[in-house]
Amino acid sequence: MTAPLLGVIADDFTGATDAANMLARVGLSAAVLIGVPALDAELVSHADALVVALKSRTVPVAGAVTDSLAALAWLRTQGCGQFYFKYCSTFDSTPHGNIGPVADALLDALGETFTVVCPALPVNGRTVYGGHLFVGGQLLSDSPMRDHPLTPMTDANLLRVLAQQTSRRVGLADAAGVERGEEALRGQLARLRAEGVGYAVVDATNDAHLRTLARAASHLKLLTGGSGLAGALGEDYRMGGQLAPVSGTAPRHVISRALILSGSCSAATRAQVAQFAAQHPAFTIDPLALSRDPAGTLAQIVDWLKQDWGGQSLLVSSSAPSDQVKEVQRLLGTERAASLIEELLSDLAVASGDLDFNTLVVAGGETSGAVVGALGVQALEVGPEIDPGVPWTLALPERRLALALKSGNFGTPDFFEKALRVWA
Ligand SMILES: Nc1ncnc2c1ncn2[C@@H]1O[C@H](COP(=O)(O)OP(=O)(O)OP(=O)(O)O)[C@@H](O)[C@H]1O
Ligand SMILES: O=C(O)[C@@H](O)C(=O)CO
C-alpha cells in the first residue's frame, strides 16, 4: 500500500465531490470521506487522493478550525505528501471567515507561513484577474452570488475579502507573472513571501494558468483554492509519473427509484428545477407552512412520495427566487429557515431508503452536507462525471446508494435528466 499523494480538506460536501471529480478527470483515484473518518482506512487505501468533506463553510469559526485541524491530523496519519484546502470557486465566506481562519490554522499546524489562494475554475466560468473574482464574465459582486442566502458576496476583490479574515498579509501574483510561465511565477511567489506576504492571491483565467501555478507552487506543503487548481495539481502528479496504476472496475449502478432533493436557491439550480418540474412530478416546499408544522409537512411529503408515480423520478424542492428567500428569512430568521429546510430534506432522504429509492441527487452544498450527514454515509467512491464538478458517487462500502451532490451554480439546465441518463 502506497501513501496517498494528496490530502484535501473541503469546506462543504459538494465541494468535496467537485474536487474529487477534478482529480479523477486527470487520472487520480480519489475517495471522499464524510467528516473526519472514524473509519477503517483500508476502505480507501488504494486512493491517490483522500478528500475529507466537512460542513465548515458557514459554521462558527471555532468549529470550522477545529474540524479542519482534525481532518489535517487524520490525513497526516494516512501519510499524505501534500495538502489542499478546497473552498468554493465563488470564495463563499463572510467577514469573519471561514477561509482565512481555517487557512491560518492549517499553515500553523504544518509549520508553514505561506500559501497560494486561487478559487479559479475556468471550466465553470470562474476566473481571477487583478485579484478580482469573476463569475461567467461578471464581477462576483454583480453575479447572483450577491444574493446568496448564507454567504452573500458583495466584494469581488479577493485581497480585500481575505484581508478581513486574517492577520497575515495578502498579496497578488498577477496575470503578467503567470503568463510568463512556471519559473517567473515561482520567482514572483518567492518575492511575495520574502516581503512577508502569507497569502498570494494568484490570477488565473484559463486552465493553462492553473497548470503553471500548480507547477510553480508544487513545493508548498499546503495549497488552497477551488477544484480547478486541485485538478491542475493532480495533472502535475500524473505528468511526473507519480500515480499508481489504475486498478478495479468502473463503478456501476442500476436505478430502482430516483429522488431529487433541492435546497439550493442558486440561479443555475432554479433553472434546473423549473426544467425538471415541467416534465416530472415535483413537490415545492412552503417554508412558512413548514415552520408552523414541521412533522406534518414531512408526513405530507412522505405520503406524496408513496403515491403511485409509475416509476417516475421525483423532485422535492425549496428553491425560490431571492425576493422570496429574503421574505422567508425576514419572517423566520436566516438560520432557522435554513435549518428547517435542511432537516426536512434530510428526513426525506432517510425516509426514501424505505421507499425503494436507491438514487439521490441533492442540489446545494449546505443541503448536501445535511442530507449526507443524516444518511450516515461514511465514504464515497467517485463515479462518472455528470457535468464538470459534479460526479456520481457510490456510498461505501456497499455501493448500493448512488448520490450526486450538485453545487448550487453547477450544471446545465437539463442537469437532473442528464444525471439520471448516466445510469440508464
Ligand atoms: N425558500 C427558501 N427560503 C429560505 N432559505 C432557503 C430556501 N430554500 C433553501 N434555503 C436555504 O438556503 C441554503 C442554500 O444553501 P445551499 O448551500 O444548500 O445551496 P447553494 O448555496 O445554492 O449551493 P452551493 O453552496 O453549493 O453553491 C440552505 O441552507 C437552505 O436550507
Ligand atoms: O467550488 C465550487 O464552486 C463548488 O465546489 C462549491 O464548493 C460549491 O459549494
Side-chain angles (χ1 to χ4, degrees), residues 152-211:
M153 299 303 291
T154 54
D155 189 356
N157 183 326
L158 294 178
L159 283 83
R160 213 159 39 208
V161 172
L162 184 57
Q164 284 185 295
Q165 302 178 23
T166 177
S167 56
R168 286 185 158 86
R169 270 186 67 194
V170 185
L172 174 67
D174 65 6
V178 181
E179 272 292 329
R180 281 200 299 275
E182 176 186 343
E183 282 310 314
L185 179 57
R186 193 175 295 128
Q188 198 177 7
L189 294 176
R191 276 193 299 284
L192 288 168
R193 185 180 201 155
E195 287 164 13
V197 164
Y199 294 112
V201 173
V202 185
D203 281 350
T205 58
N206 58 44
D207 287 339
H209 292 157
L210 290 173
R211 285 194 293 272

Side-chain angles (χ1 to χ4, degrees), residues 34-221:
I34 303 300
V36 182
L39 120 143
D40 181 5
E42 226 11 68
L43 202 59
V44 293
S45 60
H46 59 283
D48 296 314
L50 298 176
V51 183
V52 177
L54 298 178
K55 197 171 186 299
S56 57
R57 185 172 290 175
T58 57
V59 300
V61 172
V65 167
T66 305
D67 290 354
S68 306
L69 288 176
L72 176 68
W74 185 80
L75 290 167
R76 288 175 103 173
T77 64
Q78 305 307 303
C80 295
Q82 199 168 25
F83 303 92
Y84 195 89
F85 173 31
K86 156 72 179 69
Y87 41 75
C88 193
S89 61
T90 45
F91 215 69
D92 297 13
S93 52
T94 70
H96 309 291
N98 290 338
I99 295 175
V102 167
D104 282 347
L106 295 175
L107 280 174
D108 286 344
L110 289 165
E112 298 286 322
T113 55
F114 177 84
T115 188
V116 291
V117 171
C118 189
L121 182 56
V123 69
N124 281 341
R126 286 87 200 268
T127 54
V128 181
Y129 186 78
H132 288 71
L133 182 54
F134 293 82
V135 178
Q138 272 182 315
L139 279 171
L140 175 68
S141 45
D142 292 333
S143 79
M145 280 307 297
R146 61 177 302 130
D147 295 318
H148 190 277
L150 302 178
T151 50
M153 299 303 291
T154 54
D155 189 356
N157 183 326
L158 294 178
L159 283 83
R160 213 159 39 208
V161 172
L162 184 57
Q164 284 185 295
Q165 302 178 23
T166 177
S167 56
R168 286 185 158 86
R169 270 186 67 194
V170 185
L172 174 67
D174 65 6
V178 181
E179 272 292 329
R180 281 200 299 275
E182 176 186 343
E183 282 310 314
L185 179 57
R186 193 175 295 128
Q188 198 177 7
L189 294 176
R191 276 193 299 284
L192 288 168
R193 185 180 201 155
E195 287 164 13
V197 164
Y199 294 112
V201 173
V202 185
D203 281 350
T205 58
N206 58 44
D207 287 339
H209 292 157
L210 290 173
R211 285 194 293 272
T212 301
L213 170 57
R215 286 195 302 271
S218 62
H219 59 291
L220 297 178
K221 204 74 192 153

Side-chain angles (χ1 to χ4, degrees), residues 6 8-10 13-25 30 32 49 51 84 86 225-228 230-231 382 389-391 410:
L6 186 66
V8 181
I9 299 160
F13 287 23
T14 47
T17 58
D18 173 13
N21 174 240
M22 292 302 172
L23 291 164
R25 259 187 164 201
V32 178
V51 183
Y84 195 89
K86 156 72 179 69
S227 62
V382 178
V390 198
F410 284 6

Side-chain angles (χ1 to χ4, degrees), residues 253-255 257-260 276 280 311-315 358-361 386 392 402 404 414-424:
H253 178 71
V254 178
I255 298 178
R257 292 184 81 190
L259 175 62
I260 297 159
F276 193 83
H280 299 268
Q312 290 190 79
S313 302
L314 307 180
L315 165 71
N358 71 345
T359 308
L360 295 178
V361 180
I386 304 164
W392 273 109
D414 62 343
F415 176 85
F416 296 135
E417 288 280 11
K418 197 193 292 181
L420 300 174
R421 271 201 307 272
V422 169
W423 298 123

Side-chain angles (χ1 to χ4, degrees), residues 12 14-15 57 88 90 92 145 148-151 262-267 269 285 287 318-321 324-326 328-329 334 337-342 345 363-368 406-409:
D12 82 344
T14 47
R57 185 172 290 175
C88 193
T90 45
D92 297 13
M145 280 307 297
H148 190 277
L150 302 178
T151 50
S262 175
S264 157
C265 299
S266 296
T269 305
I285 295 165
S318 69
S319 309
Q324 283 178 31
V325 171
K326 282 190 182 130
V328 164
Q329 290 176 332
T334 301
S339 63
L340 277 167
I341 293 165
E342 288 177 25
L345 293 174
E366 294 296 324
T367 307
S368 296
K406 189 195 81 73
S407 294
N409 274 313

